[in-house]
Amino acid sequence: MCRHILTLSLMIAPFGALAQEATRQAPEPGSATWFGIHYLDTSTEGEINGARADETARLAMIEEYIAEDLTQRGFTLVDPPAEAMAAIRNPVHSNGADTRIAAEMGSDYAIAGEVQKVSNLIQSVNLYLRDAESGQTLRAGSVEIRGNTDDAYRRGYSYLLRNIIFRED
């Protein structure tokens, strides 16, 4: 009996989440503090071999790619002040510091991303769009990509932007 209840609840749970998600609208364009992409190497490759020039260049490329996409969607992007960023290790997991900075700057949104390198083959790319005033996460997503290439990063973030962050319901 317990097994049947558990199975039924596991089958129903995703539908409730989908129904709730379907009522949400994509965020309206506005001003946004763009925190860029934080890089997290959990593969230990960086500890052993140091930072790789191609990965550093790839992060700059993908930040530019995302900023261009956001601008084309009507967002006005501003960079956070360097002194405020010095106190934050990772804007994505800053206990609300990102949205406080964005609100102090008069922005509507705080936008930040993260790349977690699991191995040279597996990367997890994430993007968060939060309301600056309330601190509420309006849209967020994560995609696992295969490969450590410019093309893999572009495909991953393109998917996130089109199908999660700005999905039209």
Side-chain angles (χ1 to χ4, degrees), residues 26-97:
E28 293 291 323
S31 61
T33 301
W34 169 229
F35 289 88
I37 303 295
H38 179 75
Y39 185 69
L40 191 63
D41 185 354
T42 57
S43 72
T44 68
E45 181 184 334
E47 283 183 35
I48 296 168
N49 300 323
R52 289 177 36 182
D54 64 324
E55 290 175 341
T56 302
R58 190 165 297 117
L59 289 173
M61 177 274 305
I62 206 63
E63 284 181 341
E64 187 176 312
Y65 174 84
I66 294 167
E68 184 177 303
D69 184 277
L70 293 168
T71 301
Q72 288 176 356
R73 292 176 189 275
F75 286 79
T76 303
L77 303 180
V78 295
D79 293 327
E83 61 275 4
M85 287 300 295
I88 300 174
R89 183 171 183 187
N90 179 353
V92 170
H93 304 290
S94 63
N95 200 25

Side-chain angles (χ1 to χ4, degrees), residues 13 21 26 49 67 98-99 101 112 129 143 149 165 168:
E21 183 69 28
N49 300 323
D98 60 334
T99 55
I101 292 167
L129 187 142
V143 174
T149 65
I165 305 298
E168 293 295 328

